[in-house]
Amino acid sequence: MRNLDFSSWQGILTTLLGLVLITLIGVSIRLIVMQTMQQRRERENRQINERLRTLIAAYKTLGGSFTGELAVSPVHLRDLRLKAADTSNADPLEDNERARRMRDAVEAALSDIILLGTEEQVRLAVKAATQLASGQPTATDELVVSLREFIRQVLDLDPIPRELAVPKQGPARVVAKSGKGEGGAGEKGGAGRTGGGGGAGGGGGAMGAGMGMGMGIGMGGGSAAGDTD
């Protein structure tokens, strides 16, 4: 403030311009810092949301059932086919189709948890994946509890009361998708109808060609008769 000059109009104008310039520089620096922090915060929020969405999907896959068989069967389709070939019966394939789909969904969920889970969740997921790879029936209840507590904590929800005994949770039952037989039949039928249309078009072309030949013969005969006369 000591260096401010208010003795003349030029001094006042220079002083005001200097104050405005300093203010603009300070506001610009502040805006840049705020924008940088906001972008970083938005990027972190997107990462957290994506991670949370993936873990919630894994929780629904691994803990979507409270009743029935809660262990994951490690049997593969090739083993089922060999068993069906040995017994000359296709029932094992039909009976274990749902279990096979469940195992595939659990394997995908375990892979996501190993990628995005906490240290405890990764340890439990690796343990479950090792059991599946070694051909042992695998339970996922411990991993489901860890996921549930972590998700509730991230969402700032109250923890589940200790006096509530939550039943053990197992993988959700996967609904078998409809086969492609009907679609294939529809496509085949459509192809047949297309072929029929092509045949009709060919018949119309042949009919037109026949009419053209008849007219040509008639004109030729008329001209020949005129020459004879």
Side-chain angles (χ1 to χ4, degrees):
M1 296 296 291
R2 294 180 179 179
N3 296 327
L4 298 180
D5 185 9
F6 296 102
S7 62
S8 63
W9 289 104
Q10 295 179 352
I12 295 174
L13 183 60
T14 303
T15 301
L16 292 177
L17 290 177
L19 291 175
V20 171
L21 181 61
I22 293 174
T23 304
L24 289 177
I25 293 175
V27 171
S28 301
I29 294 175
R30 182 178 180 182
L31 289 176
I32 292 174
V33 173
M34 291 178 61
Q35 185 177 5
T36 303
M37 294 178 62
Q38 183 178 1
Q39 291 178 353
R40 181 182 301 175
R41 189 180 300 110
E42 290 178 354
R43 182 172 62 253
E44 292 176 354
N45 290 336
R46 286 195 300 268
Q47 294 175 355
I48 293 174
N49 292 335
E50 184 65 26
R51 180 187 183 188
L52 189 61
R53 188 182 301 112
T54 302
L55 293 180
I56 289 176
Y59 171 81
K60 292 180 178 179
T61 300
L62 299 177
S65 179
F66 292 94
T67 59
E69 182 63 33
L70 301 181
V72 184
S73 175
V75 182
H76 288 264
L77 181 60
R78 59 178 179 270
D79 300 329
L80 297 176
R81 287 176 176 173
L82 291 175
K83 184 176 180 180
D86 294 339
T87 59
S88 300
N89 187 6
D91 289 338
L93 290 177
E94 298 177 359
D95 296 340
N96 292 277
E97 178 66 19
R98 177 177 295 180
R100 185 179 66 85
R101 292 180 181 274
M102 182 186 298
R103 189 208 68 235
D104 294 342
V106 168
E107 287 181 349
L110 292 177
S111 176
D112 292 338
I113 294 173
I114 293 174
L115 179 64
L116 299 175
T118 62
E119 181 179 357
E120 179 184 4
Q121 295 164 5
V122 170
R123 180 175 57 80
L124 294 174
V126 169
K127 178 182 177 181
T130 304
Q131 292 178 352
L132 282 177
S134 61
Q136 302 176 9
T138 304
T140 60
D141 52 333
E142 294 183 5
L143 181 56
V144 168
V145 171
S146 177
L147 287 171
R148 182 175 62 216
E149 294 178 352
F150 174 76
I151 292 172
R152 293 185 67 88
Q153 181 180 1
V154 173
L155 294 177
D156 199 15
L157 299 175
D158 295 333
I160 297 178
R162 296 296 180 182
E163 61 270 13
L164 292 180
V166 181
K168 289 186 177 182
Q169 296 174 251
R173 297 177 180 85
V174 181
V175 179
K177 299 180 181 180
S178 58
K180 298 182 180 180
E182 296 180 358
E187 294 177 357
K188 185 176 181 180
R193 289 193 296 269
T194 304
M207 184 180 296
M211 292 177 63
M213 291 177 63
M215 292 177 63
I217 294 174
M219 292 176 64
S223 61
D227 293 341
T228 304
D229 292 341

